[in-house]
């Protein structure tokens, strides 16, 4: 896949990604292609980090039963960095 990360100041980062997968079925040699573009926002403040990612998965299957499908996704998360001071 391809991706780029753009910082906006010290706290905010925007990441774009494009993943492309190709799979071939062993039984009937059907091919499946998946294209997954996504956008991710990371915001860090102190020991806390907030993440938000959204994208689309486009699936294309070839063969006798051709199939096309689209799935949308969104995820959100929170992280807290716990560190001990080492002496």
């Amino acid at each position: 896949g391809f991706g780029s990360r753009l910082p906006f100041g010290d706290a905010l980062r925007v990441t774009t990604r494009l993943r492309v997968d190709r799979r071939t079925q062993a039984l009937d040699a059907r091919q499946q292609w998946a294209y997954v573009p996504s956008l991710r926002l990371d915001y860090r403040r102190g020991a806390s980090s907030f993440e938000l990612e959204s994208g689309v998965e486009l699936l294309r299957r070839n063969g006798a039963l051709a199939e096309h499908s689209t799935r949308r996704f969104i995820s959100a998360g929170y992280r807290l960095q716990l560190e001990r001071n080492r002496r």
Side-chain angles (χ1 to χ4, degrees):
F2 301 96
S4 65
R5 182 178 290 167
L6 304 170
F8 291 94
D10 292 335
L12 182 64
R13 290 194 174 119
V14 177
T15 303
T16 58
R17 294 182 191 169
L18 175 62
R19 192 182 88 221
V20 179
D21 292 332
R22 182 183 70 121
R23 296 181 182 162
T24 303
Q25 298 292 328
L27 295 176
D28 58 5
R30 287 187 343 165
Q31 285 191 350
Q32 172 180 303
W33 287 86
Y35 306 93
V36 187
S38 65
L39 178 68
R40 179 177 170 154
L41 301 174
D42 292 311
Y43 179 75
R44 295 181 186 174
R45 183 173 180 144
S48 298
S49 176
F50 301 93
E51 303 166 357
L52 180 66
E53 184 173 12
S54 180
V56 177
E57 181 181 64
L58 306 167
L59 291 175
R60 305 291 181 252
R61 291 186 179 103
N62 301 330
L65 298 173
E67 182 182 338
H68 299 247
S69 65
T70 302
R71 292 190 259 186
R72 291 167 182 81
F73 63 90
I74 187 168
S75 65
Y78 172 78
R79 291 183 192 205
L80 180 61
Q81 179 92 19
L82 302 174
E83 291 185 2
R84 289 184 177 179
N85 291 334
R86 296 184 182 190
R87 295 179 193 195

